[in-house]
RNA sequence: GGCGGGUUGGCGGAGAGGUUACGCAGCGGAUUGCAAAUCCGUGAAGACCGGUUCGAUUCCGGUACCCGCCUCCA
């Protein structure tokens, strides 16, 4: 069996991966807070872990891996987004608007990650489905002296956990010394963090021993990983920016609530994605979404390949030349398929995956080295005298399939489709705008509404504002169903 | 201020204490009505200063610069 080595952030070393139970390798990835579209940086850990899960399934067996990725659907940003919609005149209660927003966002997320070739996890728990488990866990922490209630809040007592700061290499004293956080008056210690906070009537809330309220950030991952994976599991992954405070706090909560468990054995953290050499972040305003790229006609597999060109522990810059490079290779592989594979749709089952690529991935998910081998194989197959349907050809395509590349060469087709769709959508937008101007004069909006319904049925997002009509293809967009 | 990561050829990007990484671009050739694509071949590197060593881009120390975390973020 191939020996997998992974860099454990906790030990800062590359170590041999030994599952707690080889019959059930358990892995948790911190998923999105579902208040908006996933930006490109959100997609990096998803693709990295997708590759790891594929490797684990290859090595340990498809049925011997449990992959959990959560949706955090209770959060102040979600509340704010819903409130903004309500204030903009959207009908419905705040709770309905919140539910609508999170349901919509989860749909977008699925569509976008599917487009990147990332397999769905085995479990995708939503935080709001685990409120009672969170309350129970908080109660355990209070009972054990690791948390305390004040003014409707419950706070984690950082001083009660000796290893607090160990994951991120910090000491509580150092952090307090250089603290830039404003300290709430009810905190015993400036580094104590919120497990539960009170909700007023205008916010979503659940009944609890501390009054109506809602969970703080961090606790959902502890509660859900415990429910689905147990008190000890193998791998916990996420972006390096989550190392502190999110993962540090998860460790503190989970280890204090379940002192006999180890929580996660291996912590995997991917480095940040950058744009123009700067971190992509909401506060810097330089972020763009996966959907933005897909809408530009960039196929998901191109984005996937660009991600795989950089090792997950290095910062990665998204650039136009990388996009072109990835598209070039995919087109090349597509051409090889047309010329060297007589059956365009053979059944690939993972039995012919190239061993050197498995070894590259087993070495701390070294995707750049895996790609180097893929380029070598493509080179050899491309030479004029290499026969079609050789073992190498079959292995090459089985490997591509294993790595999540199925379409190949989608660039030409999808770009053409995108242009056609964009043209058609812009015509439709113009037509709809004209109808709308007429309707505003006549007060008869039936024609506009009818057109809108048909567009919605085709999966188009319809946005009407003072500037006119904007039509965007949504996750379920189906060009064939567009009105003629 | 505290903590962490990085600096490789024109660009991207790996491994290894001594032997060609690899890809893209470039250059030469083949092919092509022209072009594109493709195929064959090919030059080019490891921030700076010390140290260890027979030998370092690879190990150790320092300097400079870059990035991230410490505040919502993957």
């Amino acid at each position: 069996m191939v020996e997998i080595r992974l860099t454990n952030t906790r030990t800062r070393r590359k170590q041999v991966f030994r599952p707690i139970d080889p019959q059930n390798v358990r892995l948790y990835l911190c998923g999105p807070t579902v208040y908006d579209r996933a930006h490109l940086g959100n997609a990096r850990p998803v693709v990295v872990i997708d590759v790891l899960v594929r490797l684990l399934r290859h090595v340990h067996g498809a049925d011997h891996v449990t992959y959990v990725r959560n949706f955090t659907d209770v959060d102040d940003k979600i509340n704010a987004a819903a409130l903004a919609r309500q204030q903009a005149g959207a009908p419905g209660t705040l709770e309905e608007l919140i539910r609508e927003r999170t349901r919509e966002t989860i749909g977008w997320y699925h569509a976008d990650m599917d487009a990147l070739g990332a397999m769905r996890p085995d479990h995708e728990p939503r935080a709001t489905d685990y409120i009672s488990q969170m309350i129970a866990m908080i109660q355990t922490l209070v009972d054990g002296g690791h948390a305390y209630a004040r003014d409707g809040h419950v706070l984690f007592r950082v001083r009660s956990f000796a290893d607090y700061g160990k994951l991120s290499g910090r000491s509580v004293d150092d952090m307090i010394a250089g603290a830039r956080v404003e300290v709430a008056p009810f905190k015993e210690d400036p580094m104590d963090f919120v497990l539960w906070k009170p909700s007023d009537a205008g916010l979503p809330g659940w009944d609890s021993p501390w009054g109506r309220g809602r969970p703080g950030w961090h606790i959902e991952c502890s509660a859900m990983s415990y429910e689905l994976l147990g008190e000890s599991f193998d791998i916990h992954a996420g972006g390096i920016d989550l190392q502190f405070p999110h993962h540090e706090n998860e460790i503190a909560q989970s280890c204090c609530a379940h002192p006999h468990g180890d929580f996660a054995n291996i912590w995997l953290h991917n480095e940040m994605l950058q744009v123009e050499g700067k971190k992509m972040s909401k506060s810097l305003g330089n972020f763009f979404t996966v959907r933005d790229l897909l809408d530009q006609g960039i196929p998901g597999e191109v984005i996937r390949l660009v991600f795989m060109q950089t090792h997950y522990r290095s910062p990665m810059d998204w650039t136009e030349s990388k996009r072109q490079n990835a598209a070039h290779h995919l087109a090349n592989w597509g051409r090889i398929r047309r010329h060297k594979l007589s059956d365009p749709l053979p059944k690939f089952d993972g039995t012919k995956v190239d061993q050197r690529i498995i070894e590259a991935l087993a070495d701390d998910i070294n995707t750049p080295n895996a790609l180097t081998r893929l380029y070598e194989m493509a080179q050899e197959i491309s030479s004029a005298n290499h026969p079609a349907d050789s073992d190498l050809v079959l292995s090459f395509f089985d490997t591509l399939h294993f790595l999540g590349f199925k379409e190949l060469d989608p660039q030409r087709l999808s770009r053409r489709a995108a242009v056609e769709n964009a043209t058609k959508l812009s015509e439709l937008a113009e037509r709809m705008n004209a109808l709308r101007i007429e309707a505003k004069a006549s007060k008869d909006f039936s024609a506009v509404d009818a057109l809108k319904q048909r567009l919605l049925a085709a999966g188009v997002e319809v946005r009407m504002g003072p500037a006119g009509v904007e039509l965007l293809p949504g996750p379920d967009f189906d060009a064939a169903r567009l009105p003629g």
Side-chain angles (χ1 to χ4, degrees):
Chain A
M1 185 181 285
V2 181
E3 194 169 74
I4 297 174
R5 280 148 291 148
L6 297 170
T7 298
N8 187 352
T9 310
R10 192 168 61 172
T11 58
R12 289 171 221 295
R13 296 205 336 229
K14 198 189 280 190
Q15 62 188 68
V16 175
F17 173 62
R18 302 199 190 287
I20 297 166
D21 175 7
Q23 295 302 304
N24 185 18
V25 179
R26 287 159 287 161
L27 177 147
Y28 187 95
L29 171 65
C30 284
T33 301
V34 283
Y35 64 102
D36 205 351
R37 284 248 183 229
H39 70 227
L40 192 62
N42 295 122
R44 172 118 105 136
V46 174
V47 172
V48 168
I49 296 307
D50 181 64
V51 172
L52 175 61
V53 169
R54 287 168 187 266
L55 175 69
L56 290 171
R57 289 194 203 285
H58 183 83
V59 172
H60 291 279
D63 300 329
H64 300 300
V65 177
T66 304
Y67 170 27
V68 177
R69 183 181 66 206
N70 67 290
F71 285 117
T72 297
D73 61 348
V74 50
D75 178 89
D76 288 348
K77 287 189 293 295
I78 298 170
N79 300 338
L83 191 63
R85 276 195 175 187
Q86 191 177 53
Q87 284 169 348
T93 66
L94 197 56
E95 305 237 323
E96 284 166 350
L97 289 170
I98 286 168
R99 206 172 306 120
E100 186 184 307
R101 180 66 174 184
T102 56
R103 190 176 56 232
E104 187 176 35
T105 308
I106 288 171
W108 291 339
Y109 188 83
H110 275 148
D112 294 347
M113 297 308 128
D114 289 352
L116 299 183
M119 297 185 297
R120 299 273 179 101
D122 299 294
H123 301 281
E124 296 186 282
R126 293 175 61 150
T128 50
D129 290 332
Y130 288 80
I131 298 289
S132 66
Q133 289 89 338
M134 292 186 224
I135 290 171
M137 193 167 193
I138 294 169
Q139 186 65 56
T140 302
L141 291 170
V142 171
D143 294 344
H146 296 291
Y148 54 95
R150 292 275 192 291
D151 300 341
H153 294 72
V154 182
L155 291 114
F156 186 89
R157 183 175 281 128
V158 166
R159 298 283 182 185
S160 77
F161 182 57
D163 282 348
Y164 191 78
K166 205 174 169 190
L167 176 73
S168 52
R170 297 149 201 258
S171 80
V172 174
D173 292 325
D174 286 350
M175 283 188 284
I176 291 168
R180 281 152 52 179
V181 287
E182 51 207 278
V183 179
F186 45 75
K187 285 189 179 181
E188 274 181 14
D189 188 289
M191 297 313 295
D192 288 352
F193 58 91
V194 171
L195 297 169
W196 189 263
K197 51 192 169 185
S199 293
D200 62 29
L203 287 171
W206 291 263
D207 290 327
S208 82
W210 316 283
R212 184 173 176 277
R214 61 199 195 283
W217 189 34
H218 319 306
I219 190 69
E220 82 280 16
C221 287
S222 286
M224 294 188 288
S225 62
Y226 175 70
E227 288 295 322
L228 294 165
L229 298 177
E231 61 183 15
S232 303
F233 55 93
D234 296 296
I235 298 168
H236 193 129
I240 188 69
D241 56 338
L242 291 184
Q243 186 186 26
F244 187 90
H246 185 59
H247 289 160
E248 199 73 70
N249 292 356
E250 280 188 54
I251 291 172
Q253 295 158 353
S254 294
C255 290
C256 289
H258 309 294
H260 301 297
D262 299 320
F263 195 37
N265 279 343
I266 291 189
W267 288 82
L268 286 188
H269 288 108
N270 61 280
E271 256 294 347
M272 297 293 95
L273 180 129
Q274 305 186 346
V275 177
E276 306 298 334
K278 290 280 184 191
K279 185 183 77 154
M280 171 182 262
S281 79
K282 281 156 200 174
S283 48
L284 289 176
N286 67 347
F287 73 96
F288 48 89
T289 65
V290 174
R291 180 55 47 181
D292 288 336
L293 294 180
L294 295 172
D295 286 348
Q296 287 166 27
I298 300 173
E301 291 190 357
V302 167
I303 301 171
R304 182 178 181 87
L305 186 54
V306 169
F307 278 135
M308 288 178 63
Q309 286 173 351
T310 302
H311 185 90
Y312 77 95
R313 283 190 296 106
S314 296
M316 192 203 96
D317 219 347
W318 173 267
T319 62
E320 170 61 15
S321 76
K322 284 184 180 171
R323 199 229 88 218
Q324 285 180 8
N325 188 285
H328 166 85
H329 283 293
L330 283 162
N332 201 4
W333 300 340
R335 188 169 354 83
I336 292 171
R337 182 168 57 186
R338 288 194 298 279
H339 294 318
K340 301 285 186 171
L341 201 59
S342 50
D343 177 0
L345 288 172
K347 302 288 173 283
F348 290 118
D349 54 10
T351 57
K352 295 188 268 310
V353 176
D354 183 71
Q355 191 57 24
R356 281 169 61 187
I357 284 178
I358 293 298
E359 283 163 13
L361 297 180
D363 181 16
D364 200 24
I365 324 177
N366 196 326
T367 51
N369 275 349
L371 293 178
T372 292
R373 171 59 182 154
L374 219 40
Y375 299 149
E376 272 178 38
M377 294 170 85
Q379 180 83 300
E380 190 174 340
I381 293 168
S382 296
S383 64
N385 57 2
H386 191 92
D389 300 324
S390 70
D391 287 347
L392 186 64
V393 169
L394 297 177
S395 172
F396 180 68
F397 288 102
D398 199 24
T399 304
L400 282 178
H401 188 266
F402 162 74
L403 289 172
F405 297 105
K406 294 171 187 166
E407 302 292 323
L408 311 179
D409 199 14
Q411 186 72 4
R412 221 176 330 164
L413 286 172
S414 97
R415 188 167 48 209
R416 190 190 305 147
V419 168
E420 283 168 5
N421 292 338
T423 308
K424 201 166 183 187
L425 284 178
S426 65
E427 284 171 14
L428 283 164
E430 274 176 42
R431 200 200 310 167
M432 188 160 178
N433 199 38
L435 279 172
R436 188 155 164 262
I437 290 166
E438 282 178 32
K440 278 183 179 172
S442 68
K443 305 292 177 197
D444 175 9
F445 286 85
S446 57
V448 180
D449 288 341
L451 180 56
K452 181 180 175 182
Q453 284 310 314
R454 295 181 61 190
L455 287 165
L456 290 175
V460 180
E461 283 183 53
V462 181
R463 297 179 186 175
M464 287 183 279
V469 176
E470 193 184 5
L471 299 181
L472 300 165
D476 300 315
F477 178 65
D478 180 1
R481 299 179 64 195
L482 282 176

